[in-house]
Amino acid sequence: CFVVDEALLDANLTILKQVKDRTGCKILLALKCFAMPRAIPRIAGVLDGVCASSPHEARLGREAFKKEVHTFGAGYSRDDILDLCRTTDHLVFNSFNQYTRFASLVKDTAAALGRSIEFGLRINPEHSEGTVPIYDPCAPGSRLGIRREDFRPELLDGITGLHWHNLCEQDAGCLERTVRAAEAGFGEFFKKMKYVNFGGGHHITRRGYNIDLLAETILTFQDRW
């Protein structure tokens, strides 16, 4: 069996709520990291939704978390897309080819279901903070996210959010440097977006994590963009 200490979980949620209160940001639970249904109602009382990486995770987010469901997949089948139209609110694509291939199908299917789905894109800031290359989404040759040289601004109509992910249980200093890299490559597009998702890998609840720097990084980003 798996045993979760509710007091420790509540302590972590208190920290995350403080970050939300200080910055006005939204925080999502990455279901690929923690997806215990019995704990979800407790977490949903504080966090704003989930990030799913499969149709099954998106369904769990819709049925159990009952808040925002963001979905990102490096690749989607047609069946995946049809399934996700029933569960996800924000569908994030890994490339412009994915977006142009599936956007009409998503719109038509969601409309028939009486739903509305927003589209996002994953970008690759080409800035590495990880120490293990095989786990680094920004390593040379990575196909996760769109590099600046492959970015097509003329196709941004209909895109409401940009997303990156390059951290793995790291501190706020890593995020601060990543934000600078993302701004250098993609900042000109941020003002056109409803949101920018800083991805996962933030070890916010770890003892010694620099929450002040995290809050400052979020607030200055909001002020600039």
Side-chain angles (χ1 to χ4, degrees):
C1 69
F2 292 94
V3 178
V4 173
D5 188 317
E6 291 180 341
L8 294 178
L9 183 59
D10 287 344
N12 285 346
L13 290 170
T14 296
I15 294 171
L16 297 177
K17 185 177 186 304
Q18 290 170 352
V19 173
K20 288 181 52 179
D21 291 344
R22 288 178 64 175
T23 65
C25 75
K26 292 185 176 183
I27 300 180
L28 306 175
L29 170 66
L31 288 174
K32 66 181 178 182
C33 296
F34 187 75
M36 182 180 286
R38 284 287 298 275
I40 283 179
R42 208 176 197 94
I43 299 171
V46 175
L47 303 192
D48 300 280
V50 303
C51 184
S53 56
S54 72
H56 293 301
E57 288 184 359
R59 179 183 170 189
L60 177 63
R62 171 62 52 214
E63 295 180 358
F65 211 94
K66 301 177 182 178
K67 287 188 173 182
E68 292 184 30
V69 178
H70 294 241
T71 302
F72 167 79
Y76 298 106
S77 69
R78 189 177 188 276
D79 286 344
D80 288 341
I81 293 295
L82 294 175
D83 199 337
L84 290 167
C85 284
R86 299 180 178 276
T87 55
T88 197
D89 302 301
H90 300 263
L91 188 58
V92 182
F93 293 105
N94 192 54
S95 68
F96 281 100
N97 286 341
Q98 272 188 352
Y99 173 51
T100 56
R101 177 185 175 191
F102 288 124
S104 294
L105 176 62
V106 173
K107 290 177 183 176
D108 292 345
T109 305
L113 294 168
R115 305 192 70 245
S116 177
I117 298 175
E118 296 191 21
F119 296 126
L121 293 170
R122 177 166 175 166
I123 59 175
N124 184 339
E126 299 183 68
H127 175 80
S128 296
E129 288 285 349
T131 57
V132 183
I134 195 174
Y135 300 133
D136 180 8
C138 293
S142 171
R143 297 174 65 188
L144 289 170
I146 305 165
R147 288 179 165 80
R148 181 61 182 88
E149 64 185 71
D150 300 317
F151 204 75
R152 300 177 63 185
E154 72 276 12
L155 296 179
L156 284 179
D157 285 347
I159 299 296
T160 61
L162 296 177
H163 160 85
W164 73 72
H165 174 59
N166 73 320
L167 304 182
C168 182
E169 296 186 352
Q170 289 169 297
D171 210 319
C174 299
L175 173 63
E176 183 185 37
R177 293 188 292 271
T178 297
V179 167
R180 288 201 297 265
E183 289 176 327
F186 300 92
E188 62 187 290
F189 310 114
F190 289 164
K191 285 187 176 180
K192 301 177 182 179
M193 299 296 131
K194 291 174 63 175
Y195 69 89
V196 175
N197 185 329
F198 287 2
H202 313 278
H203 209 162
I204 299 170
T205 58
R206 183 183 64 199
R207 187 185 303 273
Y209 182 94
N210 193 341
I211 292 178
D212 289 337
L213 178 58
L214 172 65
E216 178 185 346
T217 301
I218 295 172
L219 291 169
T220 55
F221 185 90
Q222 291 170 340
D223 288 341
R224 281 195 296 273
W225 306 110

